[in-house]
């Protein structure tokens, strides 16, 4: 028996452990240094923020008062960091400005700032630090928005202001951050709505002594969000209602009164609804009919109706309409209060979807009425949820399926409103996370014409020594080369407008009054696994790779045309601008060919990529390569100063996967290792020049080499970097 032990062990090891050869990979240099570098974008930001006047919604665009358009390429900063000391505020501002970030979404921060027993006033010391932080960003040309409420937490001063203080204060959830908060309930309960509104109005009326402006008058405040990830259809509301019988009774009564007003009598209601729709013990006369505020129940009915070739049952249609009207009432009240402060800037109702079909479009329309459309999505993730842990994970690549994953959230873009993507990330230990930022920048902000993007979540000024956020082992970590390291190329591309917005190729026509009878006019489905969502239907996500796709809310019923792709070759999807091509042969990649930026993202190794100004071949199976003009107003042909960015996979030292690359076996630790990229480039017009090897912070290292005949080779193994500066 003993003689078999070694072979069996080896066999197990070969099959169960992926042994990636990282001998040529190089460690990340992650010191904090925001001094001037080749990649620096401080002078690209139009400082101070607000110099052109208030940011306003103008149809599908954000514009300043002077008519100039603006796109926001930003990050999230979460929690109490907004109340940091001035030294940290300056580091954040310097870091973000260097990498071209022109906007910050401050997220869920009022939890940490209540003044004594009040939930609607912030403490003076918190205001002082927040005021200074925002002033510091403003001076750099960085705008800021407030996502300040994520479940309003009650305080003792609220006891006599709400219907059932103790019920709310004692609520508990698997997601503990919402314990003791008004999440879910606020969408229909007037007493709780007043608290959210009062807090927001108080903040808008607060005078920042460092700018001399109330926030309601501050042109650098580029949005106010009413609530994060909440709406009346959100399934978690039922968990809240189980623990708050007073508010459950209020919802019963509101719905029963609504039904009585619509039908006039219990007999008429019973005749309109299907047999058994009203559970035993519920009667209109007792005001105890329940509207089932959970989008998963509506989803099931919607999909069942489609499969059976019928309309949704009247009971579901009535419940959906009632819930929509409550949501709309709340937002209209909130909008009025905010506008009464004098604030003229953009508003967000919420950033959360509401399932599929009827409820989805009711919720989308409520957000449309409140302000611009904002959504969240994530991709990947593993066994540890929010933390990096050993175990199974999703290792698919979005480039393998055009429009999938993060980009599919764009199917919620609405004609006549700006579209923002205010939380997103491709989550480790997925090995292809580097594809995420280019997809959002190129296809989202570019072809689809999105107006704002905020990656989640920048909580530290500088690169991290591991692929996870070290402090919490968090998987939401943009401060690595695979995300923030690409920003100097992507931000330049966005601000210069290199990628053209596509012509609209399809409109899904939605007439809100028709939803009362279940007439949507097309089929689609949202699939959700917690924060990770995918969208599909009669208009496939791949349409997002071809041209602009929107929802249009119409005044009258209009037919939605059948979507037909204009591309004859489904394996090679070209955008209708002629600048982008998404190739699905093999594992997939896409290319960008614009005057100011040329790039390739994905599994495009061992292929000749031909562009107008150059052609190249990459040895790596998977990589991201960009050639970018470093000038604001000059393209690649005109500029004599180019940035070349070359990145591939990254991992912690000692990180190991199983043989199938779908299970993390070892997390490893610092330093973060980067796979070197080998690429040969042949320029058409640029015949000779000098290539400066930059360090990981974009500074010249003193190492350089000349090239001639328009041909150069970049060897990441030799140069140990991912940035090069080409001067000619």
């Amino acid at each position: 028996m003993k003689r078999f032990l070694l072979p069996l062990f080896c066999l197990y090891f070969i099959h169960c452990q992926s042994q990636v050869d990282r001998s040529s990979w190089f460690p990340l240099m992650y010191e904090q240094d925001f001094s001037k570098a080749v990649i620096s974008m401080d002078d690209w930001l139009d400082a101070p923020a607000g110099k052109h006047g208030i940011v306003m919604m103008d149809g599908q665009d954000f514009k300043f008062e002077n008519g100039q358009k603006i796109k926001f390429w930003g990050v999230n900063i979460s929690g109490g960091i907004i109340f940091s000391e001035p030294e940290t505020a300056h580091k954040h501002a310097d870091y973000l400005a260097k990498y071209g970030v022109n906007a910050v979404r401050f997220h869920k921060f009022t939890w940490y700032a209540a003044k004594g027993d009040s939930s609607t006033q912030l403490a003076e010391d918190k205001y002082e630090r927040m005021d200074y932080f925002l002033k510091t960003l403003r001076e750099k040309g960085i705008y800021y928005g407030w996502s300040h409420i994520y479940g309003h937490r009650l305080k003792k001063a609220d006891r006599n202001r709400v219907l059932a203080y103790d019920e709310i204060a004692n609520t508990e959830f698997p997601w503990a951050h919402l314990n003791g908060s008004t999440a879910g309930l606020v969408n229909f309960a007037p007493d709780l709505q007043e608290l959210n509104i009062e807090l927001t109005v108080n903040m808008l009326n607060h005078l920042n002594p460092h700018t001399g402006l109330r926030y309601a008058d501050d042109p650098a405040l580029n949005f106010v969000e009413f609530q994060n990830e909440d709406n009346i259809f959100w399934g978690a509301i039922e968990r809240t209602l189980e623990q708050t019988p007073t508010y459950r009774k209020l919802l019963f009564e509101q719905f029963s009164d609504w039904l009585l007003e619509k039908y006039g009598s219990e007999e008429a209601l019973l005749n309109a609804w299907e047999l058994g729709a009203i559970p035993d013990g519920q009667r209109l006369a007792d005001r105890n009919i329940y509207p089932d505020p959970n989008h998963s129940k509506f989803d099931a009915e919607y999909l069942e109706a489609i499969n059976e070739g019928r309309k949704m049952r009247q009971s579901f249609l009535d419940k959906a309409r009632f819930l929509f009207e409550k949501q709309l009432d709340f937002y209209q009240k909130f909008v009025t209060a905010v506008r009464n402060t004098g604030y003229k800037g953009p508003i967000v109702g919420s950033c959360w979807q509401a399932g599929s079909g009827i409820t989805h479009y009711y919720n989308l329309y409520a957000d449309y009425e409140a302000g611009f459309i904002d959504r969240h999505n994530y991709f990947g993730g593993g066994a540890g949820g929010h933390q990096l842990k050993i175990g199974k994970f999703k290792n698919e690549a979005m480039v393998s399926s055009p429009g999938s994953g993060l980009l599919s959230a764009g199917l919620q873009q609405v004609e006549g409103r700006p579209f923002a993507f205010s939380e997103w990330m491709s989550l480790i230990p997925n090995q292809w996370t580097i594809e995420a930022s280019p997809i959002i920048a190129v296809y989202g902000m570019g072809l689809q014409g999105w107006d704002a993007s905020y990656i989640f979540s920048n909580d530290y000024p500088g690169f991290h020594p591991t692929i996870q956020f070290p402090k919490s082992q968090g998987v939401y970590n943009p401060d690595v080369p695979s995300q923030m390291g690409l920003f100097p190329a992507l931000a330049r591309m966005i601000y210069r407008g290199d990628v053209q917005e596509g012509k609209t190729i399809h409109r899904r026509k939605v007439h809100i009054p028709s939803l009362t009878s279940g007439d949507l006019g097309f089929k689609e489905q949202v699939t959700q696994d917690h924060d990770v969502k995918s969208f599909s239907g009669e208009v496939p996500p791949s349409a997002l790779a071809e041209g602009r796709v929107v929802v249009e809310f119409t005044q009258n019923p209009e037919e939605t045309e059948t979507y037909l792709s204009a591309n004859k070759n489904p394996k090679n999807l070209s955008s209708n601008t002629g600048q982008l091509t998404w190739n699905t042969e093999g594992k997939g990649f896409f290319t960008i060919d614009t005057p100011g930026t040329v790039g390739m993202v994905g599994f495009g190794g061992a292929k000749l990529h031909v562009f107008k100004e150059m052609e190249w071949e990459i040895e790596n199976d998977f990589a991201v390569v960009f050639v970018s003009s470093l000038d604001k107003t000059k393209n690649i042909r005109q500029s004599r100063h180019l940035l070349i960015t070359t990145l591939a996979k990254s991992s912690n030292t000692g990180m190991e996967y199983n043989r199938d690359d779908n299970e993390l076996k070892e997390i490893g630790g610092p330093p973060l290792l980067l796979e070197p990229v080998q690429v040969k480039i042949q320029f058409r017009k640029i015949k000779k020049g000098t290539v400066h090897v930059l360090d990981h912070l974009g500074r010249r290292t003193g190492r350089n080499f000349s090239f001639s005949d328009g041909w150069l080779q970049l060897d990441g193994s030799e140069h140990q970097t991912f940035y090069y500066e080409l001067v000619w």
Side-chain angles (χ1 to χ4, degrees):
M1 290 294 292
K2 290 182 179 179
R3 62 182 178 179
F4 293 107
L5 289 178
L6 182 59
L8 283 173
F9 174 79
C10 293
L11 183 65
Y12 172 83
F13 193 84
I14 291 170
H15 281 278
C16 296
Q17 196 86 351
S18 174
Q19 291 295 290
V20 178
D21 180 10
R22 300 192 184 101
S23 59
S24 65
W25 292 29
F26 55 91
L28 171 68
M29 179 179 67
Y30 50 89
E31 65 178 286
Q32 278 188 329
D33 185 340
F34 313 124
S35 59
K36 190 68 174 177
V38 172
I39 65 169
S40 294
M41 295 193 66
D42 307 63
D43 59 350
W44 282 66
L45 305 186
D46 205 4
K51 65 185 291 185
H52 300 296
I54 294 168
V55 178
M56 308 182 79
M57 297 186 299
D58 183 11
Q60 69 184 47
D61 301 311
F62 289 132
K63 290 184 179 179
F64 296 118
E65 286 178 291
N66 66 3
Q68 179 179 325
K69 289 185 180 181
I70 177 71
K71 285 180 179 284
F72 297 110
W73 180 245
V75 301
N76 280 264
I77 294 180
S78 299
I81 295 173
I82 194 173
F83 309 117
S84 296
E85 295 290 347
E87 180 183 0
T88 300
H90 282 288
K91 286 182 179 180
H92 262 290
D94 291 344
Y95 172 57
L96 297 176
K98 176 178 179 177
Y99 285 88
V101 170
N102 72 346
V104 174
R105 177 182 184 253
F106 284 102
H107 178 48
K108 60 181 181 184
F109 57 91
T110 52
W111 288 350
Y112 305 89
K115 181 179 181 180
D117 290 339
S118 173
S119 71
T120 64
Q121 295 279 357
L122 302 190
E124 285 81 0
D125 63 325
K126 301 296 185 182
Y127 263 135
E128 167 56 30
R129 293 178 184 177
M130 181 182 88
D131 293 341
Y132 190 87
F133 200 149
L134 300 192
K135 181 271 300 188
T136 304
L137 293 174
R138 190 176 192 269
E139 290 174 344
K140 285 285 188 178
I142 300 172
Y143 291 78
Y144 33 82
W146 289 345
S147 168
H148 56 298
I149 298 175
Y150 185 20
H152 185 92
R153 292 181 182 172
L154 298 187
K155 304 289 283 186
K156 291 180 180 179
D158 302 320
R159 177 173 292 278
N160 296 325
R161 300 188 59 183
V162 301
L163 294 176
Y165 175 85
D166 289 329
E167 290 179 12
I168 294 175
N170 293 319
T171 53
E172 293 184 354
F173 302 93
W175 41 92
H177 54 275
L178 293 181
N179 289 352
S181 80
T182 65
L185 304 178
V186 71
N187 296 292
F188 69 87
D191 58 328
L192 307 181
Q193 293 169 4
E194 291 302 324
L195 298 177
N196 285 34
I197 291 170
E198 185 176 301
L199 170 63
T200 305
V201 167
N202 286 340
M203 291 173 63
L204 288 169
N205 282 325
H206 173 74
L207 181 76
N208 184 338
H210 301 288
T211 64
L213 295 169
R214 291 184 315 138
Y215 282 109
D217 304 317
D218 183 357
L221 182 64
N222 69 337
F223 73 83
V224 173
E225 178 188 274
F226 290 166
Q227 56 181 354
N228 174 72
E229 296 188 357
D230 195 2
N231 60 57
I232 201 165
F233 297 103
W234 188 37
I237 190 175
E238 291 207 298
R239 180 67 179 268
T240 311
L241 291 169
E242 290 171 4
Q243 303 176 72
T244 55
T246 301
Y247 288 94
R248 183 179 176 88
K249 181 174 181 291
L250 173 64
L251 185 60
F252 281 154
E253 292 171 348
Q254 289 177 341
F255 184 45
S256 299
D257 292 345
W258 186 90
L259 290 172
L260 182 61
E261 183 176 351
K262 176 175 181 178
Y263 289 107
S265 69
E266 189 141 19
E267 181 181 4
L269 172 62
L270 291 171
N271 288 333
W273 281 19
E274 58 281 357
L275 186 65
I278 303 177
D280 291 341
Q282 294 185 18
R283 297 178 65 247
L284 197 56
D286 294 333
R287 299 177 73 206
N288 67 345
I289 299 181
Y290 185 50
D292 292 304
N294 184 333
H295 68 72
S296 63
K297 295 179 180 179
F298 291 95
D299 280 7
E301 167 65 11
Y302 168 71
L303 296 173
E304 184 179 295
I306 289 175
N307 292 334
E308 295 177 0
R310 60 171 175 82
K311 289 186 178 181
M312 291 177 65
R313 289 174 284 181
Q314 189 61 46
S315 59
F316 283 90
L317 295 174
D318 282 343
K319 291 172 183 177
R321 181 71 193 193
F322 162 75
L323 294 168
F324 158 67
E325 290 181 7
K326 299 306 294 185
Q327 186 74 80
L328 196 60
D329 287 346
F330 173 37
Y331 286 169
Q332 289 172 340
K333 185 191 305 183
F334 215 145
V335 168
T336 299
V338 166
R339 294 304 183 203
N340 284 343
T341 68
Y343 175 73
K344 298 178 181 177
I347 286 173
V348 181
S350 187
C351 40
W352 206 239
Q353 83 300 326
S356 306
I358 302 298
T359 55
H360 169 60
Y361 284 100
Y362 272 142
N363 179 64
L364 189 63
Y365 185 74
D367 291 333
Y368 170 89
E369 283 291 299
F372 65 91
I373 305 302
D374 180 26
R375 288 297 181 259
H376 294 174
N377 202 6
Y378 292 87
F379 185 79
H386 299 303
Q387 280 76 44
L388 182 63
K389 293 182 179 180
I390 289 172
K392 294 283 188 178
F393 68 95
K394 300 173 183 177
N395 203 34
E396 297 89 354
M398 290 180 283
V399 290
S400 301
S401 180
S404 66
L406 298 175
L407 188 60
S408 69
L411 290 172
Q412 299 170 89
Q413 184 171 202
V414 178
E415 185 70 14
R417 291 289 188 274
F419 184 82
F421 201 27
S422 71
E423 280 190 31
W424 59 268
M425 174 59 77
S426 180
L427 303 174
I428 54 175
N430 183 292
Q431 295 175 292
W432 324 113
T433 57
I434 195 171
E435 65 183 348
S437 293
I439 287 173
I440 302 308
V442 173
Y443 281 94
M445 301 291 286
L447 185 68
Q448 292 302 316
W450 296 356
D451 303 279
S453 162
Y454 299 87
I455 196 171
F456 193 88
S457 166
N458 164 243
D459 294 336
Y460 174 82
F463 285 152
H464 289 307
T466 55
I467 66 169
Q468 76 273 27
F469 183 52
K471 186 176 181 181
S472 65
Q473 299 297 298
V475 296
Y476 309 96
N477 182 18
D479 300 306
V480 285
S482 59
Q483 302 301 331
M484 192 65 76
L486 289 169
F487 274 36
L490 299 179
R492 284 177 166 86
M493 179 186 71
I494 291 167
Y495 299 154
R496 202 165 41 218
D498 292 348
V499 179
Q500 298 170 9
E501 183 176 320
K503 294 180 181 179
T504 300
I505 59 174
H506 195 270
R507 300 172 188 270
R508 299 188 315 289
K509 308 278 183 86
V510 178
H511 180 237
I512 291 297
S514 295
L515 299 187
T516 60
S517 56
D519 296 323
L520 180 56
F522 52 87
K523 303 171 187 176
E524 64 180 32
Q525 184 174 358
V526 179
T527 303
Q528 183 170 348
D529 179 11
H530 300 287
D531 287 343
V532 178
K533 299 172 283 291
S534 59
F535 300 80
S536 60
E538 293 180 9
V539 180
S542 61
L544 297 168
E546 301 185 61
R548 192 164 175 266
V549 178
V550 297
V551 173
E552 182 181 353
F553 291 117
T554 62
Q555 295 296 315
N556 300 298
E558 295 184 36
E559 184 177 350
T560 295
E561 296 180 357
T562 301
Y563 171 76
L564 296 173
S565 172
N567 279 273
K568 295 181 179 179
N569 182 1
K571 292 187 176 182
N572 209 36
L573 298 179
S574 297
S575 68
N576 58 16
T577 62
Q579 294 182 320
L580 312 176
T581 302
W582 199 317
N583 187 297
T584 59
E585 293 180 324
K587 295 180 181 179
F589 65 90
F590 64 85
T591 57
I592 308 103
D593 193 1
T594 77
T597 302
V598 170
M600 191 287 300
V601 176
F603 298 92
K607 295 178 183 293
L608 181 66
H609 299 282
V610 180
F611 307 97
K612 292 183 178 65
E613 297 295 337
M614 66 196 78
E615 58 187 48
W616 68 40
E617 186 172 351
I618 303 167
E619 291 186 18
N620 304 63
D621 178 49
F622 173 87
V624 173
V625 176
F626 282 101
V627 177
S628 317
S629 167
L630 281 163
D631 293 294
K632 292 182 184 179
T633 59
K634 295 179 180 179
N635 60 34
I636 290 172
R637 179 175 292 192
Q638 298 163 338
S639 176
R640 293 183 174 273
H641 195 209
L642 306 181
L643 174 67
I644 304 177
T645 307
T646 64
L647 280 156
K649 291 190 292 184
S650 57
S651 81
N652 293 332
T653 300
M655 193 170 215
E656 294 297 342
Y657 301 88
N658 69 345
R659 185 183 183 188
D660 296 327
D661 282 337
N662 63 5
E663 183 178 357
L664 184 63
K665 306 294 288 187
E666 297 290 342
I667 293 176
L672 189 153
L673 299 176
L674 299 167
E675 180 186 5
V677 175
Q678 321 290 335
V679 57
K680 300 176 183 178
I681 303 176
Q682 176 75 56
F683 289 95
R684 304 195 196 289
K685 299 294 183 181
I686 303 172
K687 295 302 181 184
K688 61 181 180 178
T690 301
V691 176
H692 294 275
V693 178
L694 307 181
D695 68 15
H696 301 174
L697 300 182
R699 305 168 300 193
R700 286 188 178 181
T701 61
R703 293 181 293 152
N704 60 71
F705 59 92
S706 300
F707 68 94
S708 58
D709 298 323
W711 182 90
L712 62 92
Q713 181 169 0
L714 304 178
D715 184 346
S717 297
E718 176 186 347
H719 302 132
Q720 302 276 289
T721 191
F722 46 90
Y723 289 137
Y724 302 86
E725 176 193 13
L726 188 153
V727 180
W728 61 286

